[in-house]
């Protein structure tokens, strides 16, 4: 199985998906993908990818947790994933 990579939106370097974090600016609702090693990021919310994909239960719990946040915008969240998948050619079987 080939390990997938994506571009860090802070450093523009290709990194393993598992070495990245999803981050959100709560004041705008905008999401980004950044390397866990990227310096100088000041985001209101950050979650490491490897924490939410370690099990189906972890992903479900995280999604339920997000909907509790007053700043969470499902539309912006899924727009981010649509763009992120397209920009990084992350199409695959479900």
């Amino acid at each position: 199985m080939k390990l997938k990579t994506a571009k860090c939106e802070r450093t523009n370097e290709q990194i393993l998906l598992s070495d990245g974090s999803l981050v959100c600016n709560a004041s705008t609702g905008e999401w980004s993908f950044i390397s866990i090693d990227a310096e100088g990021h000041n985001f209101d919310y950050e979650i490491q990818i490897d924490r939410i994909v370690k099990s189906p239960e972890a992903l479900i719990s995280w999604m339920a947790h997000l909907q509790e946040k007053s700043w969470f915008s499902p539309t912006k969240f899924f727009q981010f994933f649509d763009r992120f998948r397209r920009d990084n050619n992350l199409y695959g079987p479900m």
Side-chain angles (χ1 to χ4, degrees):
M1 180 166 111
K2 181 181 174 186
L3 296 175
K4 296 287 185 170
T5 63
K7 186 183 286 190
C8 169
E9 295 176 31
R10 165 93 12 157
T11 65
N12 289 321
E13 294 180 19
Q14 287 293 123
I15 62 169
L16 291 175
L17 280 172
S18 59
D19 288 343
S21 292
L22 298 176
V23 294
C24 184
N25 180 326
S27 64
T28 66
E30 299 298 325
W31 288 85
S32 302
F33 174 76
I34 66 164
S35 168
I36 58 175
D37 297 327
E39 293 183 24
H41 61 277
N42 294 321
F43 294 98
D44 298 312
Y45 184 85
E46 177 179 358
I47 182 99
Q48 292 177 346
I49 296 284
D50 63 353
R51 288 186 57 205
I52 57 176
V53 297
K54 63 183 173 185
S55 71
E57 295 86 357
L59 179 61
I60 290 167
S61 181
W62 179 64
M63 295 295 290
H65 168 74
L66 276 182
Q67 68 84 28
E68 297 170 342
K69 303 295 184 188
S70 61
W71 49 260
F72 178 65
S73 167
T75 300
K76 288 185 177 186
F77 181 73
F78 288 109
Q79 286 172 341
F80 160 75
F81 275 108
D82 185 50
R83 176 190 55 79
F84 182 67
R85 179 177 68 162
R86 185 178 54 251
D87 291 351
N88 291 283
N89 196 28
L90 294 172
Y91 298 93
M94 294 195 344

Coordinates of all heavy atoms in Angstrom, one line a residue:
M1 N 0.8 -1.2 0.0 CA 0.0 0.0 0.0 C 0.9 1.2 0.0 O 1.8 1.4 0.8 CB -0.9 0.0 1.2 CG -1.8 1.2 1.3 SD -3.1 0.9 2.6 CE -2.6 2.1 3.8
K2 N 0.6 2.1 -0.9 CA 1.4 3.4 -1.0 C 0.9 4.4 0.0 O -0.3 4.6 0.2 CB 1.2 3.9 -2.4 CG 2.0 5.2 -2.7 CD 1.8 5.7 -4.1 CE 2.5 7.1 -4.2 NZ 2.2 7.7 -5.5
L3 N 1.8 5.0 0.7 CA 1.5 6.0 1.7 C 1.2 7.3 0.9 O 1.9 7.8 0.1 CB 2.6 6.2 2.7 CG 2.9 5.0 3.6 CD1 4.1 5.3 4.4 CD2 1.7 4.6 4.4
K4 N 0.1 7.9 1.3 CA -0.3 9.2 0.6 C 0.3 10.4 1.2 O 0.6 10.5 2.4 CB -1.9 9.3 0.7 CG -2.6 8.3 0.0 CD -2.5 8.5 -1.5 CE -3.4 7.5 -2.2 NZ -3.6 7.7 -3.6
T5 N 0.6 11.4 0.3 CA 1.2 12.6 0.8 C 0.3 13.8 0.4 O -0.6 13.6 -0.5 CB 2.6 12.9 0.2 OG1 2.5 12.9 -1.2 CG2 3.5 11.8 0.6
A6 N 0.5 14.9 1.0 CA -0.3 16.1 0.6 C 0.6 17.3 0.9 O 1.6 17.2 1.6 CB -1.5 16.2 1.4
K7 N 0.3 18.5 0.3 CA 1.1 19.7 0.5 C 0.7 20.4 1.8 O -0.5 20.7 2.0 CB 1.0 20.6 -0.7 CG 1.9 21.8 -0.6 CD 1.7 22.7 -1.8 CE 2.3 22.1 -3.0 NZ 2.3 23.1 -4.2
C8 N 1.7 20.7 2.6 CA 1.5 21.5 3.8 C 1.2 22.9 3.3 O 1.9 23.5 2.5 CB 2.7 21.5 4.7 SG 2.7 22.7 6.0
E9 N 0.1 23.5 3.8 CA -0.3 24.8 3.3 C 0.4 25.9 4.0 O 0.2 27.1 3.7 CB -1.8 24.9 3.5 CG -2.6 23.9 2.6 CD -4.1 24.0 2.8 OE1 -4.7 25.0 3.2 OE2 -4.7 22.9 2.6
R10 N 1.4 25.6 4.9 CA 2.2 26.6 5.5 C 3.6 26.6 4.9 O 4.2 27.6 4.6 CB 2.3 26.2 7.0 CG 3.4 26.9 7.8 CD 3.1 28.2 8.4 NE 1.7 28.6 8.6 CZ 1.3 29.4 9.4 NH1 2.1 29.9 10.3 NH2 0.1 29.8 9.5
T11 N 4.2 25.3 4.6 CA 5.5 25.2 4.1 C 5.6 24.9 2.6 O 6.7 25.0 2.0 CB 6.3 24.1 4.9 OG1 5.7 22.9 4.6 CG2 6.3 24.4 6.4
N12 N 4.5 24.5 2.1 CA 4.4 24.1 0.7 C 5.2 22.8 0.4 O 5.4 22.5 -0.8 CB 4.8 25.2 -0.3 CG 3.7 26.3 -0.4 OD1 2.5 26.0 -0.3 ND2 4.2 27.5 -0.4
E13 N 5.6 22.1 1.4 CA 6.3 20.8 1.3 C 5.3 19.7 1.2 O 4.3 19.7 1.9 CB 7.3 20.6 2.4 CG 8.4 21.6 2.4 CD 9.4 21.4 3.5 OE1 9.4 20.3 4.1 OE2 10.1 22.4 3.9
Q14 N 5.7 18.6 0.5 CA 4.9 17.4 0.5 C 5.2 16.6 1.7 O 6.4 16.4 2.0 CB 5.2 16.5 -0.7 CG 4.6 17.1 -2.0 CD 3.1 17.0 -2.1 OE1 2.5 18.0 -2.3 NE2 2.5 15.8 -1.9
I15 N 4.2 16.2 2.5 CA 4.4 15.5 3.7 C 3.4 14.3 3.7 O 2.4 14.3 3.0 CB 4.2 16.3 5.0 CG1 2.8 16.9 5.0 CG2 5.2 17.4 5.0 CD1 2.4 17.5 6.4
L16 N 3.7 13.3 4.5 CA 2.7 12.2 4.7 C 1.5 12.8 5.3 O 1.6 13.6 6.2 CB 3.3 11.1 5.6 CG 4.4 10.3 5.0 CD1 5.0 9.3 6.1 CD2 4.0 9.5 3.8
L17 N 0.3 12.3 4.9 CA -0.9 12.7 5.5 C -0.9 12.5 7.0 O -1.3 13.4 7.8 CB -2.1 12.0 4.9 CG -2.6 12.5 3.6 CD1 -3.7 11.5 3.1 CD2 -3.2 13.9 3.7
S18 N -0.3 11.4 7.4 CA -0.3 11.1 8.9 C 0.6 12.1 9.7 O 0.6 12.1 10.9 CB 0.2 9.7 9.1 OG 1.5 9.5 8.5
D19 N 1.5 12.9 9.0 CA 2.3 13.8 9.6 C 1.8 15.2 9.6 O 2.5 16.2 9.9 CB 3.7 13.9 9.0 CG 4.5 12.6 9.2 OD1 4.2 11.9 10.2 OD2 5.5 12.4 8.5
G20 N 0.5 15.3 9.3 CA -0.1 16.6 9.2 C -1.2 16.8 10.3 O -1.6 15.9 11.0
S21 N -1.7 18.0 10.3 CA -2.8 18.4 11.2 C -3.8 19.2 10.4 O -3.5 19.9 9.5 CB -2.3 19.3 12.4 OG -1.5 18.6 13.2
L22 N -5.1 19.1 10.8 CA -6.1 19.9 10.3 C -6.3 21.1 11.3 O -6.3 20.8 12.5 CB -7.5 19.1 10.3 CG -7.5 17.9 9.3 CD1 -8.8 17.2 9.4 CD2 -7.2 18.4 7.9
V23 N -6.3 22.3 10.8 CA -6.4 23.4 11.7 C -7.5 24.3 11.2 O -7.8 24.4 10.0 CB -5.0 24.2 11.7 CG1 -3.9 23.4 12.4 CG2 -4.6 24.6 10.4
C24 N -8.1 25.0 12.1 CA -9.2 25.9 11.8 C -9.0 27.3 12.5 O -8.6 27.3 13.6 CB -10.5 25.3 12.2 SG -11.9 26.3 11.7
N25 N -9.2 28.3 11.7 CA -9.3 29.6 12.3 C -10.8 29.8 12.7 O -11.6 30.0 11.8 CB -8.9 30.7 11.2 CG -8.9 32.1 11.7 OD1 -9.8 32.4 12.5 ND2 -8.0 32.9 11.2
A26 N -11.0 29.8 14.0 CA -12.4 29.9 14.5 C -13.1 31.2 14.1 O -14.3 31.2 13.9 CB -12.5 29.7 16.0
S27 N -12.4 32.2 13.9 CA -13.0 33.5 13.6 C -13.5 33.5 12.2 O -14.5 34.3 11.9 CB -12.1 34.7 13.9 OG -11.0 34.6 13.0
T28 N -12.9 32.7 11.3 CA -13.4 32.7 9.9 C -14.0 31.4 9.5 O -14.7 31.3 8.5 CB -12.2 33.0 8.9 OG1 -11.3 31.9 9.0 CG2 -11.5 34.3 9.2
G29 N -13.7 30.3 10.3 CA -14.2 29.0 9.9 C -13.4 28.3 8.8 O -13.8 27.3 8.4
E30 N -12.3 28.9 8.4 CA -11.5 28.4 7.4 C -10.5 27.3 7.9 O -9.9 27.5 8.9 CB -10.7 29.5 6.7 CG -11.5 30.6 6.0 CD -12.4 30.1 4.9 OE1 -12.0 29.1 4.2 OE2 -13.5 30.6 4.8
W31 N -10.5 26.2 7.1 CA -9.6 25.0 7.5 C -8.4 25.0 6.6 O -8.4 25.4 5.5 CB -10.4 23.7 7.3 CG -11.5 23.6 8.4 CD1 -12.7 24.1 8.3 CD2 -11.3 22.8 9.6 NE1 -13.4 23.7 9.5 CE2 -12.6 22.9 10.2 CE3 -10.3 22.1 10.2 CZ2 -12.8 22.3 11.5 CZ3 -10.5 21.5 11.4 CH2 -11.7 21.6 12.0
S32 N -7.3 24.4 7.2 CA -6.1 24.2 6.4 C -5.5 22.9 6.9 O -5.8 22.3 7.9 CB -5.0 25.3 6.7 OG -5.5 26.6 6.4
F33 N -4.5 22.4 6.0 CA -3.7 21.2 6.4 C -2.3 21.7 6.5 O -1.7 22.3 5.6 CB -3.8 20.2 5.2 CG -2.9 19.0 5.4 CD1 -3.2 18.0 6.3 CD2 -1.7 18.9 4.7 CE1 -2.4 16.9 6.5 CE2 -0.9 17.8 4.8 CZ -1.2 16.8 5.7
I34 N -1.7 21.4 7.7 CA -0.3 21.8 7.9 C 0.5 20.7 8.5 O -0.1 19.8 9.2 CB -0.2 23.1 8.8 CG1 -0.7 22.8 10.2 CG2 -0.9 24.2 8.2 CD1 -0.2 23.8 11.2
S35 N 1.8 20.7 8.3 CA 2.7 19.8 8.9 C 2.7 20.0 10.4 O 2.7 21.1 10.9 CB 4.1 20.0 8.4 OG 5.1 19.3 9.2
I36 N 2.8 18.9 11.2 CA 2.8 19.1 12.6 C 4.1 19.8 13.1 O 4.2 20.3 14.2 CB 2.7 17.7 13.4 CG1 3.7 16.7 12.9 CG2 1.3 17.2 13.2 CD1 3.7 15.4 13.7
D37 N 5.1 19.8 12.2 CA 6.4 20.5 12.4 C 6.4 21.9 12.0 O 7.4 22.6 12.2 CB 7.5 19.7 11.8 CG 7.7 18.3 12.3 OD1 7.4 18.1 13.5 OD2 8.1 17.4 11.6
A38 N 5.4 22.4 11.3 CA 5.4 23.8 10.8 C 5.4 24.7 12.0 O 4.7 24.6 13.0 CB 4.1 24.0 10.0
E39 N 6.2 25.7 11.8 CA 6.4 26.7 12.9 C 5.5 27.9 12.7 O 5.0 28.2 11.6 CB 7.9 27.2 12.9 CG 8.9 26.2 13.2 CD 10.3 26.7 13.3 OE1 10.4 27.9 13.5 OE2 11.2 25.9 13.1
G40 N 5.2 28.5 13.8 CA 4.5 29.8 13.8 C 3.1 29.8 13.4 O 2.5 30.8 13.0
H41 N 2.4 28.6 13.6 CA 1.0 28.7 13.3 C 0.2 29.0 14.6 O 0.5 28.6 15.7 CB 0.5 27.3 12.7 CG 0.7 26.1 13.6 ND1 1.9 25.5 13.7 CD2 -0.2 25.5 14.5 CE1 1.7 24.5 14.6 NE2 0.5 24.5 15.1
N42 N -0.7 29.9 14.4 CA -1.6 30.4 15.4 C -3.0 30.2 15.0 O -3.7 31.0 14.4 CB -1.4 31.9 15.7 CG 0.0 32.1 16.3 OD1 0.5 31.3 17.1 ND2 0.6 33.2 15.9
F43 N -3.5 29.0 15.3 CA -4.9 28.6 14.9 C -5.7 28.4 16.2 O -5.1 28.0 17.2 CB -4.9 27.4 14.0 CG -4.3 27.6 12.7 CD1 -3.0 27.3 12.5 CD2 -5.0 28.3 11.7 CE1 -2.4 27.5 11.2 CE2 -4.4 28.5 10.5 CZ -3.1 28.1 10.2
D44 N -7.0 28.6 16.1 CA -7.8 28.4 17.3 C -8.1 26.9 17.6 O -8.4 26.5 18.7 CB -9.1 29.1 17.1 CG -8.9 30.6 16.9 OD1 -8.2 31.2 17.8 OD2 -9.5 31.2 16.0
Y45 N -8.0 26.1 16.5 CA -8.3 24.7 16.7 C -7.3 23.8 15.8 O -7.1 24.2 14.7 CB -9.7 24.4 16.3 CG -10.2 23.0 16.5 CD1 -10.6 22.6 17.8 CD2 -10.1 22.0 15.5 CE1 -11.0 21.3 18.0 CE2 -10.4 20.7 15.7 CZ -10.9 20.3 17.0 OH -11.2 19.1 17.2
E46 N -6.8 22.8 16.4 CA -5.9 21.9 15.7 C -6.0 20.5 16.1 O -6.2 20.2 17.3 CB -4.4 22.4 15.9 CG -3.4 21.5 15.3 CD -2.0 21.9 15.5 OE1 -1.8 23.0 16.2 OE2 -1.1 21.3 15.1
I47 N -6.0 19.6 15.1 CA -6.1 18.1 15.5 C -5.2 17.4 14.5 O -5.2 17.6 13.3 CB -7.5 17.6 15.4 CG1 -7.6 16.1 15.7 CG2 -8.1 17.7 14.0 CD1 -8.0 15.8 17.1
Q48 N -4.3 16.5 15.1 CA -3.4 15.8 14.3 C -4.2 14.7 13.5 O -5.0 14.0 14.1 CB -2.3 15.2 15.1 CG -1.4 16.2 15.7 CD -0.3 15.6 16.6 OE1 -0.4 14.4 17.0 NE2 0.7 16.3 16.9
I49 N -3.9 14.5 12.3 CA -4.6 13.5 11.4 C -4.5 12.1 12.1 O -5.5 11.4 12.1 CB -4.0 13.5 10.0 CG1 -4.2 14.8 9.3 CG2 -4.5 12.3 9.2 CD1 -5.6 15.0 8.8
D50 N -3.3 11.7 12.6 CA -3.2 10.4 13.1 C -4.1 10.1 14.3 O -4.4 9.0 14.6 CB -1.7 10.0 13.4 CG -1.1 10.9 14.4 OD1 -1.7 11.9 14.9 OD2 0.1 10.6 14.8
R51 N -4.5 11.2 15.0 CA -5.4 11.0 16.1 C -6.8 10.6 15.7 O -7.5 9.9 16.4 CB -5.4 12.3 17.0 CG -4.2 12.5 17.8 CD -4.3 13.7 18.7 NE -5.4 13.5 19.7 CZ -6.0 14.5 20.3 NH1 -5.7 15.7 20.1 NH2 -7.0 14.2 21.1
I52 N -7.2 11.2 14.6 CA -8.6 10.9 14.2 C -8.8 9.7 13.2 O -10.0 9.3 13.0 CB -9.3 12.2 13.5 CG1 -8.5 12.7 12.3 CG2 -9.4 13.3 14.6 CD1 -9.1 13.9 11.6
V53 N -7.7 9.2 12.7 CA -7.9 8.1 11.8 C -7.4 6.8 12.4 O -7.3 5.7 11.8 CB -7.2 8.3 10.4 CG1 -7.9 9.4 9.7 CG2 -5.7 8.5 10.6
K54 N -7.1 6.8 13.7 CA -6.6 5.6 14.3 C -7.6 4.5 14.5 O -7.3 3.3 14.6 CB -5.9 5.9 15.7 CG -6.8 6.5 16.7 CD -5.9 6.8 18.0 CE -6.8 7.5 19.0 NZ -6.0 8.0 20.1
S55 N -8.9 4.9 14.5 CA -10.0 4.0 14.6 C -11.3 4.6 14.1 O -11.4 5.9 14.1 CB -10.2 3.5 16.0 OG -10.8 4.5 16.8
P56 N -12.3 3.8 13.7 CA -13.5 4.4 13.3 C -14.2 5.2 14.4 O -14.8 6.2 14.2 CB -14.4 3.2 12.9 CG -13.4 2.2 12.5 CD -12.2 2.4 13.4
E57 N -14.0 4.7 15.6 CA -14.6 5.3 16.8 C -14.0 6.7 17.0 O -14.7 7.7 17.4 CB -14.4 4.5 18.1 CG -15.2 3.2 18.0 CD -14.4 2.1 17.4 OE1 -13.3 2.3 16.9 OE2 -14.9 0.9 17.3
A58 N -12.7 6.8 16.8 CA -12.0 8.1 17.0 C -12.5 9.1 16.0 O -12.8 10.3 16.3 CB -10.5 8.0 16.8
L59 N -12.8 8.7 14.7 CA -13.3 9.6 13.7 C -14.7 10.1 14.1 O -15.0 11.3 14.0 CB -13.3 9.0 12.3 CG -13.8 9.9 11.2 CD1 -13.0 11.1 11.0 CD2 -13.8 9.1 9.9
I60 N -15.5 9.1 14.5 CA -16.9 9.4 14.8 C -17.0 10.4 16.0 O -17.7 11.4 16.1 CB -17.7 8.1 15.1 CG1 -17.9 7.4 13.8 CG2 -19.0 8.4 15.8 CD1 -18.4 6.0 14.0
S61 N -16.1 10.1 17.0 CA -16.1 11.0 18.2 C -15.7 12.4 17.9 O -16.2 13.4 18.3 CB -15.1 10.3 19.2 OG -15.1 11.1 20.4
W62 N -14.7 12.5 17.0 CA -14.2 13.8 16.6 C -15.2 14.6 15.8 O -15.5 15.8 16.1 CB -12.9 13.7 15.7 CG -12.4 15.0 15.3 CD1 -11.9 16.0 16.1 CD2 -12.3 15.5 14.0 NE1 -11.5 17.1 15.3 CE2 -11.8 16.8 14.0 CE3 -12.6 14.9 12.7 CZ2 -11.5 17.5 12.9 CZ3 -12.4 15.7 11.6 CH2 -11.9 17.0 11.7
M63 N -15.9 13.9 14.9 CA -17.0 14.6 14.1 C -18.1 15.1 15.1 O -18.6 16.2 14.9 CB -17.5 13.7 13.1 CG -16.5 13.3 12.0 SD -16.0 14.7 11.0 CE -17.5 15.0 10.1
A64 N -18.5 14.3 16.1 CA -19.5 14.7 17.0 C -19.0 15.9 17.9 O -19.8 16.8 18.1 CB -19.9 13.5 17.9
H65 N -17.7 15.8 18.2 CA -17.1 16.9 19.0 C -17.2 18.2 18.2 O -17.5 19.3 18.8 CB -15.7 16.5 19.3 CG -14.8 17.6 19.9 ND1 -15.0 18.1 21.2 CD2 -13.8 18.3 19.3 CE1 -14.1 19.1 21.3 NE2 -13.4 19.2 20.3
L66 N -16.9 18.2 16.9 CA -16.9 19.4 16.1 C -18.2 20.1 16.1 O -18.3 21.3 16.2 CB -16.5 19.1 14.6 CG -15.0 19.0 14.3 CD1 -14.8 18.8 12.8 CD2 -14.3 20.3 14.7
Q67 N -19.3 19.3 16.0 CA -20.6 19.9 15.9 C -21.0 20.7 17.1 O -21.9 21.5 17.1 CB -21.7 18.9 15.4 CG -22.0 17.8 16.4 CD -23.0 18.3 17.4 OE1 -23.9 19.1 17.2 NE2 -23.0 17.7 18.6
E68 N -20.3 20.4 18.2 CA -20.6 21.1 19.5 C -20.0 22.5 19.5 O -20.3 23.3 20.3 CB -20.0 20.3 20.7 CG -20.6 19.0 20.9 CD -19.9 18.1 21.9 OE1 -18.7 18.4 22.2 OE2 -20.4 17.1 22.4
K69 N -19.0 22.8 18.6 CA -18.3 24.1 18.6 C -19.2 25.1 17.9 O -19.7 24.9 16.8 CB -17.0 23.9 17.8 CG -16.1 22.9 18.4 CD -15.6 23.3 19.7 CE -14.6 22.3 20.3 NZ -14.4 22.5 21.7
S70 N -19.4 26.3 18.5 CA -20.2 27.3 18.0 C -19.7 27.9 16.7 O -20.4 28.4 15.8 CB -20.4 28.4 19.0 OG -19.2 29.0 19.3
W71 N -18.3 27.8 16.5 CA -17.7 28.4 15.3 C -17.7 27.4 14.1 O -17.3 27.8 13.0 CB -16.3 28.8 15.6 CG -15.5 27.7 16.3 CD1 -15.2 27.7 17.7 CD2 -14.8 26.6 15.8 NE1 -14.5 26.6 18.0 CE2 -14.2 25.9 16.8 CE3 -14.7 26.1 14.5 CZ2 -13.5 24.7 16.6 CZ3 -14.0 24.9 14.3 CH2 -13.4 24.3 15.3
F72 N -18.1 26.2 14.3 CA -18.0 25.2 13.3 C -19.0 25.4 12.2 O -20.2 25.6 12.4 CB -18.2 23.8 13.9 CG -18.2 22.7 12.8 CD1 -17.0 22.4 12.1 CD2 -19.3 21.9 12.6 CE1 -17.0 21.4 11.2 CE2 -19.3 20.9 11.6 CZ -18.1 20.7 10.9
S73 N -18.5 25.5 10.9 CA -19.3 25.7 9.8 C -19.2 24.4 8.9 O -18.1 24.2 8.2 CB -18.8 26.9 9.0 OG -19.4 26.9 7.7
P74 N -20.2 23.5 8.9 CA -20.1 22.3 8.1 C -19.8 22.7 6.6 O -19.0 22.0 5.9 CB -21.5 21.7 8.2 CG -22.0 22.2 9.5 CD -21.4 23.6 9.6
T75 N -20.4 23.7 6.1 CA -20.2 24.1 4.7 C -18.7 24.4 4.4 O -18.1 23.8 3.5 CB -21.0 25.3 4.3 OG1 -22.4 25.0 4.5 CG2 -20.8 25.7 2.8
K76 N -18.1 25.2 5.2 CA -16.6 25.5 5.1 C -15.8 24.3 5.3 O -14.8 24.1 4.6 CB -16.2 26.6 6.0 CG -16.8 28.0 5.5 CD -16.2 29.1 6.3 CE -16.8 30.4 5.8 NZ -16.2 31.6 6.5
F77 N -16.2 23.4 6.2 CA -15.4 22.2 6.5 C -15.4 21.3 5.3 O -14.3 20.8 4.8 CB -16.1 21.5 7.7 CG -15.4 20.2 8.1 CD1 -14.2 20.2 8.8 CD2 -16.1 19.0 7.9 CE1 -13.6 19.1 9.2 CE2 -15.5 17.8 8.3 CZ -14.3 17.9 9.0
F78 N -16.5 21.1 4.7 CA -16.6 20.2 3.5 C -16.0 20.8 2.2 O -15.5 20.2 1.4 CB -18.0 19.6 3.3 CG -18.3 18.6 4.4 CD1 -19.2 18.9 5.4 CD2 -17.6 17.4 4.4 CE1 -19.4 17.9 6.4 CE2 -17.8 16.4 5.4 CZ -18.7 16.7 6.4
Q79 N -16.1 22.2 2.1 CA -15.5 22.9 1.0 C -14.0 22.7 1.1 O -13.3 22.5 0.1 CB -15.8 24.3 1.0 CG -17.2 24.6 0.6 CD -17.6 26.1 0.7 OE1 -17.1 26.8 1.5 NE2 -18.7 26.4 0.0
F80 N -13.4 22.7 2.3 CA -12.0 22.5 2.5 C -11.6 21.1 2.0 O -10.7 21.0 1.3 CB -11.6 22.6 4.0 CG -10.3 21.9 4.3 CD1 -9.1 22.5 3.9 CD2 -10.3 20.7 5.0 CE1 -7.9 21.8 4.2 CE2 -9.1 20.1 5.2 CZ -7.9 20.6 4.9
F81 N -12.4 20.1 2.4 CA -12.0 18.7 2.0 C -12.2 18.5 0.5 O -11.4 17.8 -0.1 CB -12.8 17.7 2.8 CG -12.2 17.3 4.1 CD1 -12.8 17.8 5.3 CD2 -11.0 16.6 4.2 CE1 -12.2 17.5 6.5 CE2 -10.5 16.3 5.4 CZ -11.0 16.7 6.6
D82 N -13.1 19.2 -0.1 CA -13.3 19.1 -1.5 C -12.1 19.7 -2.2 O -11.5 19.0 -3.1 CB -14.6 19.8 -2.0 CG -14.8 19.7 -3.4 OD1 -14.8 18.5 -3.9 OD2 -15.1 20.7 -4.1
R83 N -11.6 20.9 -1.8 CA -10.5 21.5 -2.4 C -9.2 20.7 -2.1 O -8.4 20.5 -2.9 CB -10.3 22.9 -1.8 CG -9.0 23.6 -2.3 CD -8.8 24.9 -1.6 NE -8.7 24.9 -0.1 CZ -7.7 24.4 0.6 NH1 -6.6 24.0 0.0 NH2 -7.7 24.4 1.9
F84 N -9.0 20.3 -0.8 CA -7.9 19.6 -0.4 C -7.7 18.3 -1.2 O -6.6 17.9 -1.7 CB -8.0 19.3 1.1 CG -6.8 18.6 1.7 CD1 -5.6 19.2 1.8 CD2 -6.9 17.3 2.2 CE1 -4.5 18.5 2.4 CE2 -5.9 16.6 2.8 CZ -4.6 17.2 2.9
R85 N -8.8 17.5 -1.4 CA -8.7 16.3 -2.1 C -8.4 16.6 -3.6 O -7.5 15.9 -4.2 CB -10.1 15.6 -2.1 CG -10.1 14.3 -2.8 CD -11.4 13.6 -2.7 NE -12.5 14.3 -3.3 CZ -13.7 13.8 -3.6 NH1 -14.0 12.6 -3.3 NH2 -14.6 14.5 -4.2
R86 N -8.9 17.6 -4.2 CA -8.7 17.9 -5.6 C -7.2 18.4 -5.7 O -6.5 17.9 -6.6 CB -9.6 19.0 -6.0 CG -9.5 19.4 -7.5 CD -10.6 20.4 -7.9 NE -10.5 21.6 -7.0 CZ -11.5 22.0 -6.1 NH1 -12.5 21.2 -5.9 NH2 -11.3 23.1 -5.4
D87 N -6.8 19.3 -4.9 CA -5.4 19.9 -5.0 C -4.3 18.8 -4.8 O -3.2 19.0 -5.3 CB -5.2 21.0 -4.0 CG -6.0 22.2 -4.3 OD1 -6.6 22.3 -5.3 OD2 -6.0 23.1 -3.4
N88 N -4.6 17.8 -4.0 CA -3.6 16.7 -3.7 C -3.9 15.4 -4.3 O -3.2 14.4 -4.0 CB -3.5 16.6 -2.2 CG -2.9 17.8 -1.5 OD1 -1.7 18.0 -1.6 ND2 -3.7 18.7 -1.0
N89 N -4.8 15.3 -5.2 CA -5.2 14.1 -6.0 C -5.4 13.0 -5.0 O -4.9 11.9 -5.1 CB -4.1 13.8 -7.0 CG -4.6 12.7 -8.0 OD1 -5.8 12.7 -8.3 ND2 -3.7 11.9 -8.5
L90 N -6.3 13.2 -4.0 CA -6.5 12.2 -3.0 C -7.9 11.5 -3.2 O -8.7 11.4 -2.3 CB -6.5 12.9 -1.6 CG -5.2 13.4 -1.1 CD1 -5.3 14.3 0.1 CD2 -4.2 12.3 -1.0
Y91 N -8.0 11.0 -4.4 CA -9.2 10.2 -4.7 C -8.9 8.7 -4.5 O -7.8 8.2 -4.9 CB -9.6 10.4 -6.2 CG -9.9 11.9 -6.5 CD1 -9.0 12.8 -6.9 CD2 -11.2 12.4 -6.2 CE1 -9.3 14.1 -7.2 CE2 -11.6 13.7 -6.4 CZ -10.6 14.5 -6.9 OH -10.9 15.9 -7.1
G92 N -9.7 8.0 -3.9 CA -9.5 6.6 -3.6 C -10.8 5.9 -3.3 O -11.8 6.5 -3.1
P93 N -10.7 4.6 -3.3 CA -11.9 3.8 -3.0 C -12.3 4.0 -1.5 O -11.5 4.2 -0.6 CB -11.4 2.3 -3.2 CG -9.9 2.4 -3.0 CD -9.5 3.7 -3.4
M94 N -13.6 3.8 -1.3 CA -14.1 3.9 0.1 C -14.3 2.5 0.6 O -14.4 1.6 -0.1 CB -15.4 4.7 0.1 CG -15.1 6.1 -0.2 SD -16.3 7.4 0.1 CE -17.8 6.6 0.4

